[in-house]
Amino acid sequence: MRGIARMVSSHTKYPISALPLPPPSKLLIHNLTPDPATPSVSAFKYALRNNPSIQRRGRIISSEAHFSHVSPFPLPFPYEIEPPEDPPEAFDKEEYVEQWLAAREALNPAESAEQTGSDANEPLQKLYPACRSNPMELLGLSNTGLRDCLPHLDVGDAFEVVGEPSLLGQTGPQERQHPEDSKAVATRQELIDVLGGHTMLISGDESDVSFAPWSLRYSGHQFGAWAGQLGDGRAISIHATPHPSDPETTYELQVKGAGRTPFSRRADGLAVVRSSIREYLCAEAMNALGIPTTRSLSIIYLPSISVIRERRESACIVTRVAPSFLRIGSFEALNPPKELFFFGGGQQPADLDALRVLGEWVADQVLHIKRPEGSAWARELILECTRRNARMVAGWQAYGFMHGVINTDNVSLLGLTIDYGPYAFMDIFDPMHICNHTDEEGRYAYKFQPEMILFALRALLNALAPLVGAEAELGNKAVTAGWPKEGKKDEWSDRGVALVEEELEDLFRREYEVEFNARMRQACPLHILLRLGLRRAEEKDDAALVQPLFAMLADHKLDFHLTFRHLARFRPALSSSSDPFIDTLLRYTSTGEVPQLDGASEQWKSWLEKYAARIESEKEEWGGTNSEGVDWQARREKEVRLANPRFVLRQWVLEEVIAKVEADAQNGRHVLAKVMQMACNPYEPWGGEGDTRTDEELDAETKEERRLCGIGDRKMLGFQCSCSS
């Protein structure tokens, strides 16, 4: 596990500008309604040259619009626009601002094809700014995100630039396979230019498929209160391409932190190193745990761009990938609740036909709901979204993941974990733990996460309820353009809620339990049997094993993940002499000392006896010793380890990686790459797990791996982040 496992793919590789576009029928901007300020790609190009401020001003866009075309523009905000030294008498300040912005927009083709490795047959043009040039450094490239989502993307020598993963940083000179004047260098530089927000990809006038980048409009409830229009305030979808092995699946590439959009409100549209590293690592860590998520592609550092948060920080852009970034708030924006007063910058009136347009696109092209032509879709859309999000949050609970900000605009229609902010993985078990220090009331505490996802799903039902009611009135036929009837909305909404609400809640709880149980081996309401290595469920498991286990975790303040990993080593024969096993387990506390609680050891001894009996009861199901001479207990232990991670992306690990990258990006990216490697392979025996040698006897890299698999500095236990990123 020392080096990067180079991805081998049989797919034809393309530089990022040459990635094939999907057909118009599968491209969001060809099927949803654009902001009237930039209603087409040609109009967008005109605006970039003549009225570029239209995409940088925070504004409430038209009620029928689903998105707005916008180009990456990573500059500090407020913009530092110096007036001319000797302005004329009739100086037009507004025109001067437009000219200043236009000079920094990516509007110009490259000076030569050779300069960037261009090909005249590429589907998209590469445009560059005349007066904007910020240093960009590639901090990381996700091998797993590339492998799974974009196996046809040519990244040139990018992995060589990032260097070998190492917790010790760069330990020697880097070997490079490609000379500096090779095509690989140009391909890598094009990748950095595009994903770093410097170069814009856009279709030419003669292109078969028109294309320009965009940001989504959505609204939402934040901490339970209606917030009005929100939208992609710093996220821009810059490309979309079909998966080469599955043309029905299109992946969007979205840069986060690339500057202001019409949805930025008073914010700068930028992101910092700290938040970008957190998202980059966690998306791939979640995927490795089998939890649905957006994926990471790259992280690019912009050292010359200063960003003010709680302190002065440097800018960074992370690129994430998903089939769609649409959220529950996308529907809420088109049929908002009736509150007259709310915290936010404004909200458009309902546009029920825009609601229909979005719903048809989501049902057919995002969720791929199978339905006869002309048949109803709204009810099934709600239920499919419910299924997916129930399974997602079950994964969260199973692995102690806390999102921190489960606002309705942060809940994906695809049931993907999205928008990694002040998240955390559970350390010392506390069902009431709050990972976001902004969440003063504990709304999004670990224990309440399933209910908060259910709250968001009810908001989706409320937004789509008039469509459900109208479709029912039509005999389960889909509504058509111009469907809203004066005075019918409330009646349809009431009927829609009545038809679906109970089914939604029953389905959510059923799917949650099935998924939670699938990880822990069916029928146990706490999704824990898989992690305990039990192959079947028994009615008494919850009361006899699961509830007492969670009670001891909480009472003894034990680490969630280390406890389960330790239990993976337990064999029934140990129950008669379990004191050493228990002593080790009880040291996984907030103090590192065995808790001085009356009967702690006795509680665990009693529990382990019951656990041993349950394991023994399944002996026949494991089939004894196999043909390779491996006994059933060894095979069981191996399987249990594959359900309980050795490495967890803890808060202290994240803070340490961030500090190393901020202090020295060139050296820190080796550490970042190694932590990404560990996060993508969390069940591996990192740090010589099981090796009885002391830390001093291990090589330096293995010693560091072992340290990163531990609890860490106890001062960091329960560490809370802010929403500021």
Side-chain angles (χ1 to χ4, degrees):
M1 303 297 294
R2 287 293 178 263
I4 297 174
R6 302 298 181 192
M7 181 179 62
V8 178
S9 171
S10 60
H11 302 292
T12 301
K13 302 278 191 177
Y14 303 91
I16 190 167
S17 64
L19 281 175
L21 287 170
S25 63
K26 297 186 179 301
L27 195 52
L28 179 146
I29 60 174
H30 283 261
N31 294 273
L32 300 184
T33 306
D35 176 3
T38 51
S40 66
V41 172
S42 59
F44 175 57
K45 290 179 179 178
Y46 180 86
L48 290 178
R49 295 188 180 280
N50 297 282
N51 185 27
S53 69
I54 193 68
Q55 56 178 337
R56 309 299 168 204
R57 295 197 300 265
R59 55 190 172 86
I60 302 299
I61 70 171
S62 184
S63 62
E64 77 276 14
H66 302 107
F67 69 92
S68 186
H69 283 301
V70 60
S71 60
F73 198 75
L75 283 179
F77 181 84
Y79 303 129
E80 298 178 1
I81 304 176
E82 293 289 336
E85 292 184 5
D86 189 18
E89 265 187 49
F91 178 56
D92 188 330
K93 292 182 180 179
E94 291 186 7
E95 178 60 26
Y96 183 78
V97 168
E98 299 291 0
Q99 291 173 359
W100 188 93
L101 291 171
R104 287 154 182 79
E105 289 287 355
L107 294 169
N108 309 286
E111 292 180 6
S112 68
E114 291 76 15
Q115 182 181 339
T116 58
S118 297
D119 187 318
N121 296 320
E122 290 175 359
L124 298 175
Q125 292 182 324
K126 299 189 290 285
L127 299 182
Y128 301 82
C131 300
R132 173 167 58 89
S133 180
N134 302 307
M136 295 175 289
E137 297 179 28
L138 179 65
L139 292 182
L141 191 65
S142 168
N143 201 18
T144 49
L146 196 64
R147 176 198 67 199
D148 296 343
C149 305
L150 302 166
H152 54 321
L153 174 60
D154 187 350
V155 300
D157 65 348
F159 282 111
E160 293 179 43
V161 169
V162 172
E164 288 296 312
S166 173
L167 297 177
L168 306 178
Q170 185 169 332
T171 55
Q174 293 292 119
E175 279 190 38
R176 297 182 61 83
Q177 298 176 1
H178 303 92
E180 284 299 318
D181 60 350
S182 72
K183 183 180 178 182
V185 173
T187 300
R188 176 252 302 168
Q189 189 57 52
E190 176 184 303
L191 184 78
I192 294 173
D193 286 345
V194 172
L195 301 183
H198 182 68
T199 301
M200 179 174 64
L201 300 179
I202 193 166
S203 58
D205 295 337
E206 305 300 321
S207 298
D208 293 335
V209 179
S210 62
F211 181 90
W214 72 90
S215 293
L216 289 171
R217 168 197 170 194
Y218 44 83
S219 298
H221 287 81
Q222 297 194 326
F223 292 91
W226 181 247
Q229 178 183 286
L230 300 165
D232 285 333
R234 58 175 176 171
I236 302 170
S237 291
I238 57 159
H239 210 330
T241 186
H243 193 284
S245 298
D246 179 15
E248 291 300 306
T249 300
T250 293
Y251 280 101
E252 291 180 18
L253 284 69
Q254 187 178 81
V255 291
K256 185 174 180 180
R260 277 181 63 84
T261 78
F263 309 107
S264 296
R265 293 173 287 173
R266 293 182 296 276
D268 56 21
L270 302 173
V272 298
V273 172
R274 167 175 48 89
S275 64
S276 300
I277 286 176
R278 288 175 60 86
E279 173 144 359
Y280 174 71
L281 289 173
C282 196
E284 294 307 290
M286 294 287 274
N287 178 69
L289 294 172
I291 300 171
T293 178
T294 57
R295 302 296 299 274
S296 295
L297 177 59
S298 68
I299 180 168
I300 293 176
Y301 178 41
L302 308 178
S304 67
I305 297 179
S306 182
V307 183
I308 304 298
R309 297 295 183 258
E310 282 104 341
R311 58 184 173 89
R312 186 178 294 275
E313 302 181 61
S314 292
C316 208
I317 296 177
V318 66
T319 301
R320 54 190 185 181
V321 183
S324 174
F325 293 96
L326 288 163
R327 303 113 186 285
I328 284 176
S330 303
F331 282 110
E332 288 188 285
L334 304 171
N335 184 24
K338 296 179 180 179
E339 288 94 340
L340 296 177
F341 301 101
F342 59 89
F343 174 77
Q347 173 63 53
Q348 304 86 335
D351 191 313
L352 297 188
D353 208 48
L355 189 73
R356 173 192 63 80
V357 170
L358 177 62
E360 290 177 347
W361 165 258
V362 170
D364 295 339
Q365 298 296 338
V366 177
L367 297 176
H368 302 289
I369 294 170
K370 303 301 182 185
R371 62 187 179 103
E373 187 174 352
S375 64
W377 49 263
R379 172 181 165 278
E380 187 52 43
L381 185 158
I382 295 165
L383 297 179
E384 179 61 19
C385 188
T386 298
R387 290 184 191 97
R388 291 169 180 253
N389 277 285
R391 294 167 186 163
M392 175 196 72
V393 74
W396 292 4
Q397 301 304 99
Y399 284 96
F401 174 78
M402 294 162 283
H403 185 278
V405 199
I406 315 173
N407 299 332
T408 60
D409 59 295
N410 294 337
V411 179
S412 159
L413 294 171
L414 278 169
L416 304 175
T417 311
I418 193 171
D419 290 340
Y420 291 91
Y423 69 83
F425 283 93
M426 184 75 74
D427 38 52
I428 300 305
F429 184 72
D430 176 6
M432 292 301 296
H433 182 65
I434 305 161
C435 63
N436 177 1
H437 75 56
T438 310
D439 185 9
E440 296 178 355
E441 297 180 0
R443 176 181 178 85
Y444 300 136
Y446 170 78
K447 179 180 179 179
F448 300 136
Q449 290 188 133
E451 286 300 317
M452 294 301 98
I453 291 293
L454 188 54
F455 174 91
L457 292 166
R458 292 190 189 108
L460 176 64
L461 169 58
N462 289 334
L464 282 169
L467 270 163
V468 177
E471 288 180 340
E473 188 175 284
L474 291 170
N476 289 322
K477 299 292 184 184
V479 300
T480 56
W483 69 281
K485 294 180 182 177
E486 193 69 33
K488 294 282 285 185
K489 180 187 172 185
D490 289 346
E491 177 188 333
W492 284 333
S493 294
D494 291 344
R495 185 176 184 185
V497 170
L499 285 170
V500 179
E501 185 172 35
E502 185 175 343
E503 185 178 11
L504 182 155
E505 299 197 11
D506 288 347
L507 177 64
F508 177 84
R509 299 188 194 287
R510 186 167 65 250
E511 290 287 336
Y512 174 83
E513 290 183 7
V514 166
E515 176 66 16
F516 197 72
N517 301 339
R519 293 176 182 269
M520 309 301 188
R521 293 295 188 215
Q522 305 172 6
C524 168
L526 282 175
H527 196 333
I528 219 70
L529 297 188
L530 179 64
R531 298 196 72 177
L532 290 175
L534 299 176
R535 286 198 154 187
R536 67 170 188 273
E538 294 184 357
E539 189 174 343
K540 62 183 180 181
D541 284 339
D542 186 39
L545 290 177
V546 177
Q547 294 291 357
L549 173 60
F550 273 80
M552 290 189 296
L553 283 170
D555 292 346
H556 304 160
K557 295 181 171 53
L558 295 178
D559 185 86
F560 188 68
H561 295 285
L562 289 177
T563 299
F564 278 108
R565 187 76 175 184
H566 187 63
L567 288 173
R569 295 198 289 271
F570 181 76
R571 296 189 177 192
L574 291 174
S575 62
S576 60
S577 56
S578 58
D579 288 350
F581 185 89
I582 293 171
D583 286 347
T584 301
L585 186 151
L586 288 175
R587 284 188 166 81
Y588 298 142
T589 65
S590 57
T591 62
E593 303 294 332
V594 176
Q596 300 303 308
L597 298 172
D598 292 341
S601 293
E602 290 305 312
Q603 287 178 44
W604 276 102
K605 189 174 294 186
S606 174
W607 187 88
L608 287 172
E609 288 174 359
K610 295 174 186 176
Y611 183 35
R614 270 293 279 116
I615 294 171
E616 284 282 4
S617 75
E618 296 186 350
K619 180 177 180 179
E620 296 303 317
E621 296 176 36
W622 288 93
T625 301
N626 67 12
S627 59
E628 298 174 351
V630 182
D631 70 25
W632 70 274
Q633 293 196 75
R635 297 202 313 279
R636 178 188 166 276
E637 180 176 330
K638 182 178 180 180
E639 183 173 299
V640 182
R641 285 173 181 269
L642 294 178
N644 294 288
R646 162 74 168 160
F647 175 75
V648 178
L649 202 58
R650 298 174 183 271
Q651 296 284 55
W652 76 267
V653 174
L654 287 163
E655 289 296 301
E656 196 169 283
V657 174
I658 291 163
K660 288 181 178 179
V661 173
E662 288 182 330
D664 181 351
Q666 294 290 322
N667 200 52
R669 64 187 178 189
H670 294 271
V671 179
L672 178 64
K674 181 57 177 281
V675 172
M676 174 65 94
Q677 189 182 66
M678 294 175 73
C680 291
N681 299 277
Y683 307 110
E684 293 291 321
W686 297 106
E689 184 185 25
D691 190 328
T692 57
R693 288 180 295 171
T694 65
D695 288 352
E696 288 68 29
E697 294 174 292
L698 299 173
D699 65 82
E701 185 75 18
T702 305
K703 181 179 176 181
E704 274 295 279
E705 290 173 4
R706 179 178 288 183
R707 187 176 69 86
L708 263 62
C709 291
I711 289 179
D713 186 345
R714 261 88 180 164
K715 294 178 183 178
M716 288 294 295
L717 295 176
F719 177 81
Q720 293 178 309
C721 292
S722 75
C723 291
S724 171
S725 59

